[in-house]
């Protein structure tokens, strides 16, 4: 096995820019167009965002909060910040006006704890963030992403080292208030290496489809950052599009002849429940070699039901890889063995608890 030699995310972006064939594709819910950015294009677009953020007065080590529902905006704002040495803080966008007070409280907590100077969002979301701007001590401005995209500022190069902070990742807050985890470029390079090289044995010809939210570690590290190091092509779908029409996920896997995708347990269950027979007929899932499952408790019966339903269009139950991860550990902590499928072990909970 070749010796692992870590690179920063910035170095990975610049190295990948040699490729005009591979890159990121963005599927939009409201348009037939599927804009494709080659890795060379990713380098250029992220440099423009980096220059725009620098023109706001942000410098290396400053924090910028990102509340961006659009995948394309999020990816380039995030990578632009990283290239300028500005530390991005991803925050989930509001899903509706129902639980707005709780959302604003959570957002204020993250913005305040991170010490973000600038918050970048859409014009629409900015209108509801007034209380955050008023109460966050370090926040100097909320900026519309549309304004940043209109700027034509050059990136002023910044030296980035492996031990520099790449971004702040806040825990999901499922058991307590979200806590910030500081991830360095070296943390990311190490976790990407074990995921891509040791765990999934990813090659440059592998490609993936992801509808996972990009403010969450599985979507962001797994499908935005890790593929930069291996120069893979990724097709991104908006999370809401998958929730409305789960078949869109499998249609893109089939159309792109993609080899890798991940989803939580509920995603596979939703496909079994909601995808109609007529939507299955034209699918070909025979190229899907890694169907990862994590982010919540995994139920073997859900995965086996998915494998059974889609076996006739080429899906193999051997593709399933069960995984466990934590924001505190960058992303992945453990994977089941590649090619082993769903491995089930039955234990007696009471005995395990009382006698070990």
């Amino acid at each position: 096995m070749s010796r692992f030699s870590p690179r920063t995310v910035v170095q990975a972006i610049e190295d990948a820019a040699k490729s005009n064939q591979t890159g990121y594709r963005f599927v939009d819910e409201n348009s037939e167009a599927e804009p494709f950015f080659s890795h060379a294009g990713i380098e250029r677009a992220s440099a423009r965002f980096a220059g725009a953020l620098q023109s706001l007065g942000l410098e290396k080590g400053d924090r910028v909060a990102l509340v961006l529902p659009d995948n394309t905006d999020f990816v380039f704002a995030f990578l632009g910040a990283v290239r300028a040495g500005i530390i991005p803080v991803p925050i989930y966008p509001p899903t509706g006006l129902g639980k707005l007070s709780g959302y604003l409280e959570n957002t204020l907590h993250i913005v305040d704890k991170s010490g973000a100077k600038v918050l970048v969002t859409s014009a629409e979301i900015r209108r509801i963030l007034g209380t955050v701007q008023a109460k966050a001590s370090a926040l100097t401005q909320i900026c519309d992403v549309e304004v940043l995209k209109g700027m034509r500022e050059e990136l002023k190069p910044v030296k980035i080292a492996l031990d520099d902070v790449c971004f702040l990742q806040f825990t999901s807050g499922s058991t307590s208030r979200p806590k910030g985890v500081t991830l360095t470029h070296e943390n990311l390079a190490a976790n990407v290496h074990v995921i891509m090289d040791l765990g999934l044995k990813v090659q440059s010809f592998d490609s993936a489809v992801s509808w996972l939210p990009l403010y969450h570690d599985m979507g962001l590290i797994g499908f935005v950052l890790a593929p930069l190091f291996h120069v893979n092509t990724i097709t991104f779908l908006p999370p809401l599009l998958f929730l409305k029409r789960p078949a869109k996920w499998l249609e893109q896997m089939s159309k792109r002849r993609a080899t890798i995708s991940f989803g939580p347990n509920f995603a596979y269950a939703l496909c079994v429940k909601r995808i109609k027979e007529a939507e299955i007929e034209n699918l070909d899932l025979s190229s899907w070699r890694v169907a990862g499952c994590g982010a919540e408790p995994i139920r073997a019966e859900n995965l086996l039901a998915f494998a059974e339903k889609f076996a006739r269009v080429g899906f193999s139950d051997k593709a399933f890889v069960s995984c466990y991860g934590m924001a505190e550990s960058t992303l992945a902590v453990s994977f089941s063995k590649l090619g082993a499928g769903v491995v089930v072990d039955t234990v007696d909970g009471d005995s395990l608890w009382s006698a070990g």
Side-chain angles (χ1 to χ4, degrees), residues 228-256:
L228 289 170
F229 287 79
H230 282 62
V231 200
N232 305 107
T233 293
I234 310 295
T235 298
F236 294 102
L237 283 79
L240 285 175
L241 179 58
F242 164 71
L243 293 173
K244 286 181 195 167
R245 288 227 23 236
K248 283 284 186 191
W249 179 26
L250 306 192
E251 283 165 14
Q252 285 291 335
M253 287 298 294
S254 175
K255 182 179 179 180
R256 305 295 166 198

PDB file of all heavy atoms in Angstrom, residues 228-256:
ATOM      1  N   LEU A 228     -12.787  15.562  -3.650  1.00  0.00           N
ATOM      2  CA  LEU A 228     -11.761  16.463  -4.191  1.00  0.00           C
ATOM      3  C   LEU A 228     -10.390  15.787  -4.155  1.00  0.00           C
ATOM      4  O   LEU A 228      -9.558  15.982  -5.036  1.00  0.00           O
ATOM      5  CB  LEU A 228     -11.696  17.760  -3.365  1.00  0.00           C
ATOM      6  CG  LEU A 228     -12.872  18.726  -3.510  1.00  0.00           C
ATOM      7  CD1 LEU A 228     -12.776  19.817  -2.450  1.00  0.00           C
ATOM      8  CD2 LEU A 228     -12.917  19.344  -4.903  1.00  0.00           C
ATOM      9  N   PHE A 229     -10.156  15.003  -3.100  1.00  0.00           N
ATOM     10  CA  PHE A 229      -8.854  14.341  -2.927  1.00  0.00           C
ATOM     11  C   PHE A 229      -8.663  13.215  -3.949  1.00  0.00           C
ATOM     12  O   PHE A 229      -7.542  12.846  -4.261  1.00  0.00           O
ATOM     13  CB  PHE A 229      -8.733  13.779  -1.511  1.00  0.00           C
ATOM     14  CG  PHE A 229      -8.536  14.832  -0.449  1.00  0.00           C
ATOM     15  CD1 PHE A 229      -9.609  15.572   0.034  1.00  0.00           C
ATOM     16  CD2 PHE A 229      -7.275  15.107   0.072  1.00  0.00           C
ATOM     17  CE1 PHE A 229      -9.437  16.550   1.009  1.00  0.00           C
ATOM     18  CE2 PHE A 229      -7.087  16.081   1.054  1.00  0.00           C
ATOM     19  CZ  PHE A 229      -8.164  16.803   1.517  1.00  0.00           C
ATOM     20  N   HIS A 230      -9.788  12.657  -4.435  1.00  0.00           N
ATOM     21  CA  HIS A 230      -9.696  11.538  -5.382  1.00  0.00           C
ATOM     22  C   HIS A 230     -10.201  11.912  -6.780  1.00  0.00           C
ATOM     23  O   HIS A 230     -10.272  11.078  -7.660  1.00  0.00           O
ATOM     24  CB  HIS A 230     -10.481  10.338  -4.845  1.00  0.00           C
ATOM     25  CG  HIS A 230      -9.747   9.598  -3.770  1.00  0.00           C
ATOM     26  ND1 HIS A 230      -9.409  10.179  -2.574  1.00  0.00           N
ATOM     27  CD2 HIS A 230      -9.257   8.328  -3.735  1.00  0.00           C
ATOM     28  CE1 HIS A 230      -8.761   9.297  -1.834  1.00  0.00           C
ATOM     29  NE2 HIS A 230      -8.649   8.174  -2.514  1.00  0.00           N
ATOM     30  N   VAL A 231     -10.584  13.171  -6.959  1.00  0.00           N
ATOM     31  CA  VAL A 231     -11.016  13.705  -8.253  1.00  0.00           C
ATOM     32  C   VAL A 231     -12.180  12.877  -8.835  1.00  0.00           C
ATOM     33  O   VAL A 231     -12.142  12.449  -9.988  1.00  0.00           O
ATOM     34  CB  VAL A 231      -9.825  13.800  -9.248  1.00  0.00           C
ATOM     35  CG1 VAL A 231     -10.150  14.771 -10.379  1.00  0.00           C
ATOM     36  CG2 VAL A 231      -8.563  14.287  -8.548  1.00  0.00           C
ATOM     37  N   ASN A 232     -13.201  12.661  -8.002  1.00  0.00           N
ATOM     38  CA  ASN A 232     -14.389  11.914  -8.451  1.00  0.00           C
ATOM     39  C   ASN A 232     -15.498  12.874  -8.875  1.00  0.00           C
ATOM     40  O   ASN A 232     -15.560  14.001  -8.402  1.00  0.00           O
ATOM     41  CB  ASN A 232     -14.934  11.036  -7.323  1.00  0.00           C
ATOM     42  CG  ASN A 232     -13.887  10.094  -6.763  1.00  0.00           C
ATOM     43  OD1 ASN A 232     -13.404  10.299  -5.656  1.00  0.00           O
ATOM     44  ND2 ASN A 232     -13.519   9.083  -7.520  1.00  0.00           N
ATOM     45  N   THR A 233     -16.380  12.395  -9.724  1.00  0.00           N
ATOM     46  CA  THR A 233     -17.547  13.177 -10.143  1.00  0.00           C
ATOM     47  C   THR A 233     -18.715  12.900  -9.194  1.00  0.00           C
ATOM     48  O   THR A 233     -19.016  11.742  -8.888  1.00  0.00           O
ATOM     49  CB  THR A 233     -17.942  12.821 -11.590  1.00  0.00           C
ATOM     50  OG1 THR A 233     -16.892  13.263 -12.447  1.00  0.00           O
ATOM     51  CG2 THR A 233     -19.251  13.507 -11.996  1.00  0.00           C
ATOM     52  N   ILE A 234     -19.364  13.979  -8.741  1.00  0.00           N
ATOM     53  CA  ILE A 234     -20.496  13.868  -7.820  1.00  0.00           C
ATOM     54  C   ILE A 234     -21.691  14.599  -8.410  1.00  0.00           C
ATOM     55  O   ILE A 234     -21.560  15.713  -8.916  1.00  0.00           O
ATOM     56  CB  ILE A 234     -20.170  14.493  -6.436  1.00  0.00           C
ATOM     57  CG1 ILE A 234     -18.833  13.981  -5.896  1.00  0.00           C
ATOM     58  CG2 ILE A 234     -21.305  14.237  -5.439  1.00  0.00           C
ATOM     59  CD1 ILE A 234     -18.764  12.522  -5.585  1.00  0.00           C
ATOM     60  N   THR A 235     -22.862  13.970  -8.324  1.00  0.00           N
ATOM     61  CA  THR A 235     -24.118  14.616  -8.713  1.00  0.00           C
ATOM     62  C   THR A 235     -24.892  14.931  -7.438  1.00  0.00           C
ATOM     63  O   THR A 235     -25.169  14.033  -6.641  1.00  0.00           O
ATOM     64  CB  THR A 235     -24.953  13.697  -9.623  1.00  0.00           C
ATOM     65  OG1 THR A 235     -24.194  13.442 -10.823  1.00  0.00           O
ATOM     66  CG2 THR A 235     -26.280  14.347  -9.990  1.00  0.00           C
ATOM     67  N   PHE A 236     -25.203  16.213  -7.234  1.00  0.00           N
ATOM     68  CA  PHE A 236     -25.917  16.653  -6.026  1.00  0.00           C
ATOM     69  C   PHE A 236     -27.390  16.905  -6.343  1.00  0.00           C
ATOM     70  O   PHE A 236     -27.708  17.590  -7.310  1.00  0.00           O
ATOM     71  CB  PHE A 236     -25.316  17.958  -5.486  1.00  0.00           C
ATOM     72  CG  PHE A 236     -23.908  17.821  -4.970  1.00  0.00           C
ATOM     73  CD1 PHE A 236     -22.830  18.243  -5.740  1.00  0.00           C
ATOM     74  CD2 PHE A 236     -23.663  17.285  -3.711  1.00  0.00           C
ATOM     75  CE1 PHE A 236     -21.529  18.124  -5.276  1.00  0.00           C
ATOM     76  CE2 PHE A 236     -22.361  17.164  -3.240  1.00  0.00           C
ATOM     77  CZ  PHE A 236     -21.292  17.583  -4.018  1.00  0.00           C
ATOM     78  N   LEU A 237     -28.266  16.368  -5.500  1.00  0.00           N
ATOM     79  CA  LEU A 237     -29.704  16.666  -5.570  1.00  0.00           C
ATOM     80  C   LEU A 237     -30.078  17.451  -4.319  1.00  0.00           C
ATOM     81  O   LEU A 237     -29.527  17.193  -3.244  1.00  0.00           O
ATOM     82  CB  LEU A 237     -30.543  15.386  -5.577  1.00  0.00           C
ATOM     83  CG  LEU A 237     -30.652  14.565  -6.840  1.00  0.00           C
ATOM     84  CD1 LEU A 237     -29.406  13.723  -7.038  1.00  0.00           C
ATOM     85  CD2 LEU A 237     -31.862  13.639  -6.748  1.00  0.00           C
ATOM     86  N   PRO A 238     -31.050  18.360  -4.408  1.00  0.00           N
ATOM     87  CA  PRO A 238     -31.514  19.036  -3.190  1.00  0.00           C
ATOM     88  C   PRO A 238     -32.206  18.016  -2.268  1.00  0.00           C
ATOM     89  O   PRO A 238     -32.959  17.169  -2.747  1.00  0.00           O
ATOM     90  CB  PRO A 238     -32.533  20.058  -3.703  1.00  0.00           C
ATOM     91  CG  PRO A 238     -32.316  20.141  -5.180  1.00  0.00           C
ATOM     92  CD  PRO A 238     -31.751  18.829  -5.613  1.00  0.00           C
ATOM     93  N   PRO A 239     -31.944  18.094  -0.950  1.00  0.00           N
ATOM     94  CA  PRO A 239     -32.589  17.155  -0.021  1.00  0.00           C
ATOM     95  C   PRO A 239     -34.109  17.129  -0.148  1.00  0.00           C
ATOM     96  O   PRO A 239     -34.723  16.062  -0.094  1.00  0.00           O
ATOM     97  CB  PRO A 239     -32.164  17.670   1.358  1.00  0.00           C
ATOM     98  CG  PRO A 239     -30.902  18.425   1.117  1.00  0.00           C
ATOM     99  CD  PRO A 239     -31.017  19.004  -0.261  1.00  0.00           C
ATOM    100  N   LEU A 240     -34.722  18.306  -0.346  1.00  0.00           N
ATOM    101  CA  LEU A 240     -36.185  18.352  -0.429  1.00  0.00           C
ATOM    102  C   LEU A 240     -36.716  17.636  -1.662  1.00  0.00           C
ATOM    103  O   LEU A 240     -37.815  17.080  -1.645  1.00  0.00           O
ATOM    104  CB  LEU A 240     -36.690  19.798  -0.410  1.00  0.00           C
ATOM    105  CG  LEU A 240     -36.639  20.501   0.947  1.00  0.00           C
ATOM    106  CD1 LEU A 240     -37.051  21.961   0.815  1.00  0.00           C
ATOM    107  CD2 LEU A 240     -37.515  19.796   1.982  1.00  0.00           C
ATOM    108  N   LEU A 241     -35.930  17.628  -2.736  1.00  0.00           N
ATOM    109  CA  LEU A 241     -36.346  16.922  -3.949  1.00  0.00           C
ATOM    110  C   LEU A 241     -36.415  15.420  -3.672  1.00  0.00           C
ATOM    111  O   LEU A 241     -37.357  14.744  -4.087  1.00  0.00           O
ATOM    112  CB  LEU A 241     -35.374  17.218  -5.099  1.00  0.00           C
ATOM    113  CG  LEU A 241     -35.669  16.525  -6.432  1.00  0.00           C
ATOM    114  CD1 LEU A 241     -37.060  16.870  -6.949  1.00  0.00           C
ATOM    115  CD2 LEU A 241     -34.616  16.883  -7.471  1.00  0.00           C
ATOM    116  N   PHE A 242     -35.413  14.908  -2.945  1.00  0.00           N
ATOM    117  CA  PHE A 242     -35.450  13.484  -2.583  1.00  0.00           C
ATOM    118  C   PHE A 242     -36.665  13.164  -1.707  1.00  0.00           C
ATOM    119  O   PHE A 242     -37.348  12.163  -1.920  1.00  0.00           O
ATOM    120  CB  PHE A 242     -34.165  13.063  -1.849  1.00  0.00           C
ATOM    121  CG  PHE A 242     -34.331  11.748  -1.131  1.00  0.00           C
ATOM    122  CD1 PHE A 242     -34.422  10.560  -1.847  1.00  0.00           C
ATOM    123  CD2 PHE A 242     -34.459  11.706   0.250  1.00  0.00           C
ATOM    124  CE1 PHE A 242     -34.631   9.348  -1.190  1.00  0.00           C
ATOM    125  CE2 PHE A 242     -34.669  10.507   0.912  1.00  0.00           C
ATOM    126  CZ  PHE A 242     -34.751   9.315   0.187  1.00  0.00           C
ATOM    127  N   LEU A 243     -36.939  14.037  -0.735  1.00  0.00           N
ATOM    128  CA  LEU A 243     -38.067  13.771   0.167  1.00  0.00           C
ATOM    129  C   LEU A 243     -39.399  13.781  -0.579  1.00  0.00           C
ATOM    130  O   LEU A 243     -40.295  12.992  -0.289  1.00  0.00           O
ATOM    131  CB  LEU A 243     -38.085  14.788   1.311  1.00  0.00           C
ATOM    132  CG  LEU A 243     -36.907  14.692   2.285  1.00  0.00           C
ATOM    133  CD1 LEU A 243     -36.931  15.854   3.261  1.00  0.00           C
ATOM    134  CD2 LEU A 243     -36.920  13.374   3.037  1.00  0.00           C
ATOM    135  N   LYS A 244     -39.521  14.677  -1.573  1.00  0.00           N
ATOM    136  CA  LYS A 244     -40.765  14.739  -2.351  1.00  0.00           C
ATOM    137  C   LYS A 244     -40.870  13.572  -3.324  1.00  0.00           C
ATOM    138  O   LYS A 244     -41.934  13.013  -3.520  1.00  0.00           O
ATOM    139  CB  LYS A 244     -40.819  16.054  -3.156  1.00  0.00           C
ATOM    140  CG  LYS A 244     -41.107  17.292  -2.325  1.00  0.00           C
ATOM    141  CD  LYS A 244     -41.146  18.493  -3.274  1.00  0.00           C
ATOM    142  CE  LYS A 244     -41.058  19.802  -2.522  1.00  0.00           C
ATOM    143  NZ  LYS A 244     -40.787  20.928  -3.436  1.00  0.00           N
ATOM    144  N   ARG A 245     -39.738  13.277  -3.980  1.00  0.00           N
ATOM    145  CA  ARG A 245     -39.743  12.232  -5.004  1.00  0.00           C
ATOM    146  C   ARG A 245     -38.522  11.339  -4.845  1.00  0.00           C
ATOM    147  O   ARG A 245     -37.499  11.533  -5.507  1.00  0.00           O
ATOM    148  CB  ARG A 245     -39.725  12.868  -6.404  1.00  0.00           C
ATOM    149  CG  ARG A 245     -41.017  13.517  -6.802  1.00  0.00           C
ATOM    150  CD  ARG A 245     -41.525  13.166  -8.203  1.00  0.00           C
ATOM    151  NE  ARG A 245     -41.049  11.936  -8.789  1.00  0.00           N
ATOM    152  CZ  ARG A 245     -40.430  11.854  -9.981  1.00  0.00           C
ATOM    153  NH1 ARG A 245     -40.187  12.924 -10.686  1.00  0.00           N
ATOM    154  NH2 ARG A 245     -40.063  10.691 -10.465  1.00  0.00           N
ATOM    155  N   PRO A 246     -38.600  10.344  -3.951  1.00  0.00           N
ATOM    156  CA  PRO A 246     -37.435   9.472  -3.702  1.00  0.00           C
ATOM    157  C   PRO A 246     -36.891   8.816  -4.972  1.00  0.00           C
ATOM    158  O   PRO A 246     -35.694   8.541  -5.062  1.00  0.00           O
ATOM    159  CB  PRO A 246     -37.984   8.414  -2.740  1.00  0.00           C
ATOM    160  CG  PRO A 246     -39.198   9.019  -2.123  1.00  0.00           C
ATOM    161  CD  PRO A 246     -39.759   9.975  -3.124  1.00  0.00           C
ATOM    162  N   ALA A 247     -37.764   8.609  -5.976  1.00  0.00           N
ATOM    163  CA  ALA A 247     -37.316   7.975  -7.222  1.00  0.00           C
ATOM    164  C   ALA A 247     -36.217   8.784  -7.914  1.00  0.00           C
ATOM    165  O   ALA A 247     -35.394   8.228  -8.647  1.00  0.00           O
ATOM    166  CB  ALA A 247     -38.498   7.794  -8.172  1.00  0.00           C
ATOM    167  N   LYS A 248     -36.186  10.106  -7.675  1.00  0.00           N
ATOM    168  CA  LYS A 248     -35.163  10.968  -8.301  1.00  0.00           C
ATOM    169  C   LYS A 248     -33.743  10.505  -7.944  1.00  0.00           C
ATOM    170  O   LYS A 248     -32.824  10.605  -8.764  1.00  0.00           O
ATOM    171  CB  LYS A 248     -35.352  12.434  -7.864  1.00  0.00           C
ATOM    172  CG  LYS A 248     -36.497  13.142  -8.568  1.00  0.00           C
ATOM    173  CD  LYS A 248     -36.097  13.501  -9.985  1.00  0.00           C
ATOM    174  CE  LYS A 248     -37.155  14.342 -10.679  1.00  0.00           C
ATOM    175  NZ  LYS A 248     -36.882  14.465 -12.117  1.00  0.00           N
ATOM    176  N   TRP A 249     -33.580  10.042  -6.722  1.00  0.00           N
ATOM    177  CA  TRP A 249     -32.269   9.544  -6.254  1.00  0.00           C
ATOM    178  C   TRP A 249     -31.834   8.365  -7.135  1.00  0.00           C
ATOM    179  O   TRP A 249     -30.731   8.357  -7.690  1.00  0.00           O
ATOM    180  CB  TRP A 249     -32.396   9.129  -4.789  1.00  0.00           C
ATOM    181  CG  TRP A 249     -31.165   8.564  -4.140  1.00  0.00           C
ATOM    182  CD1 TRP A 249     -29.861   8.791  -4.482  1.00  0.00           C
ATOM    183  CD2 TRP A 249     -31.126   7.685  -3.003  1.00  0.00           C
ATOM    184  NE1 TRP A 249     -29.009   8.110  -3.630  1.00  0.00           N
ATOM    185  CE2 TRP A 249     -29.761   7.422  -2.718  1.00  0.00           C
ATOM    186  CE3 TRP A 249     -32.101   7.101  -2.205  1.00  0.00           C
ATOM    187  CZ2 TRP A 249     -29.365   6.595  -1.660  1.00  0.00           C
ATOM    188  CZ3 TRP A 249     -31.693   6.284  -1.140  1.00  0.00           C
ATOM    189  CH2 TRP A 249     -30.345   6.033  -0.887  1.00  0.00           C
ATOM    190  N   LEU A 250     -32.720   7.384  -7.257  1.00  0.00           N
ATOM    191  CA  LEU A 250     -32.375   6.175  -7.996  1.00  0.00           C
ATOM    192  C   LEU A 250     -32.299   6.438  -9.502  1.00  0.00           C
ATOM    193  O   LEU A 250     -31.488   5.828 -10.207  1.00  0.00           O
ATOM    194  CB  LEU A 250     -33.388   5.065  -7.693  1.00  0.00           C
ATOM    195  CG  LEU A 250     -33.587   4.738  -6.197  1.00  0.00           C
ATOM    196  CD1 LEU A 250     -34.373   3.448  -6.043  1.00  0.00           C
ATOM    197  CD2 LEU A 250     -32.268   4.641  -5.448  1.00  0.00           C
ATOM    198  N   GLU A 251     -33.099   7.381  -9.985  1.00  0.00           N
ATOM    199  CA  GLU A 251     -33.028   7.743 -11.408  1.00  0.00           C
ATOM    200  C   GLU A 251     -31.646   8.307 -11.743  1.00  0.00           C
ATOM    201  O   GLU A 251     -31.068   8.000 -12.788  1.00  0.00           O
ATOM    202  CB  GLU A 251     -34.110   8.766 -11.759  1.00  0.00           C
ATOM    203  CG  GLU A 251     -35.500   8.159 -11.907  1.00  0.00           C
ATOM    204  CD  GLU A 251     -36.613   9.224 -11.893  1.00  0.00           C
ATOM    205  OE1 GLU A 251     -36.297  10.421 -12.038  1.00  0.00           O
ATOM    206  OE2 GLU A 251     -37.788   8.842 -11.726  1.00  0.00           O
ATOM    207  N   GLN A 252     -31.118   9.151 -10.844  1.00  0.00           N
ATOM    208  CA  GLN A 252     -29.782   9.721 -11.085  1.00  0.00           C
ATOM    209  C   GLN A 252     -28.686   8.659 -10.950  1.00  0.00           C
ATOM    210  O   GLN A 252     -27.722   8.662 -11.717  1.00  0.00           O
ATOM    211  CB  GLN A 252     -29.514  10.895 -10.117  1.00  0.00           C
ATOM    212  CG  GLN A 252     -30.252  12.173 -10.481  1.00  0.00           C
ATOM    213  CD  GLN A 252     -29.737  12.829 -11.751  1.00  0.00           C
ATOM    214  OE1 GLN A 252     -28.599  12.663 -12.151  1.00  0.00           O
ATOM    215  NE2 GLN A 252     -30.611  13.598 -12.415  1.00  0.00           N
ATOM    216  N   MET A 253     -28.844   7.733  -9.993  1.00  0.00           N
ATOM    217  CA  MET A 253     -27.873   6.627  -9.862  1.00  0.00           C
ATOM    218  C   MET A 253     -27.831   5.834 -11.169  1.00  0.00           C
ATOM    219  O   MET A 253     -26.757   5.465 -11.658  1.00  0.00           O
ATOM    220  CB  MET A 253     -28.275   5.692  -8.712  1.00  0.00           C
ATOM    221  CG  MET A 253     -28.054   6.239  -7.318  1.00  0.00           C
ATOM    222  SD  MET A 253     -26.323   6.609  -6.914  1.00  0.00           S
ATOM    223  CE  MET A 253     -25.560   4.978  -6.922  1.00  0.00           C
ATOM    224  N   SER A 254     -29.007   5.582 -11.723  1.00  0.00           N
ATOM    225  CA  SER A 254     -29.128   4.805 -12.956  1.00  0.00           C
ATOM    226  C   SER A 254     -28.576   5.584 -14.159  1.00  0.00           C
ATOM    227  O   SER A 254     -27.755   5.088 -14.927  1.00  0.00           O
ATOM    228  CB  SER A 254     -30.611   4.461 -13.173  1.00  0.00           C
ATOM    229  OG  SER A 254     -30.819   3.820 -14.396  1.00  0.00           O
ATOM    230  N   LYS A 255     -28.998   6.832 -14.288  1.00  0.00           N
ATOM    231  CA  LYS A 255     -28.615   7.679 -15.420  1.00  0.00           C
ATOM    232  C   LYS A 255     -27.109   7.915 -15.476  1.00  0.00           C
ATOM    233  O   LYS A 255     -26.497   7.922 -16.547  1.00  0.00           O
ATOM    234  CB  LYS A 255     -29.365   9.012 -15.292  1.00  0.00           C
ATOM    235  CG  LYS A 255     -29.135  10.014 -16.412  1.00  0.00           C
ATOM    236  CD  LYS A 255     -29.968  11.273 -16.149  1.00  0.00           C
ATOM    237  CE  LYS A 255     -29.772  12.327 -17.219  1.00  0.00           C
ATOM    238  NZ  LYS A 255     -30.595  13.532 -16.935  1.00  0.00           N
ATOM    239  N   ARG A 256     -26.498   8.101 -14.306  1.00  0.00           N
ATOM    240  CA  ARG A 256     -25.061   8.439 -14.241  1.00  0.00           C
ATOM    241  C   ARG A 256     -24.180   7.197 -14.149  1.00  0.00           C
ATOM    242  O   ARG A 256     -22.964   7.328 -14.102  1.00  0.00           O
ATOM    243  CB  ARG A 256     -24.782   9.343 -13.021  1.00  0.00           C
ATOM    244  CG  ARG A 256     -25.616  10.603 -12.966  1.00  0.00           C
ATOM    245  CD  ARG A 256     -25.312  11.525 -14.084  1.00  0.00           C
ATOM    246  NE  ARG A 256     -26.341  12.561 -14.216  1.00  0.00           N
ATOM    247  CZ  ARG A 256     -26.504  13.291 -15.298  1.00  0.00           C
ATOM    248  NH1 ARG A 256     -25.724  13.112 -16.333  1.00  0.00           N
ATOM    249  NH2 ARG A 256     -27.459  14.198 -15.360  1.00  0.00           N
TER     250      ARG A 256
END
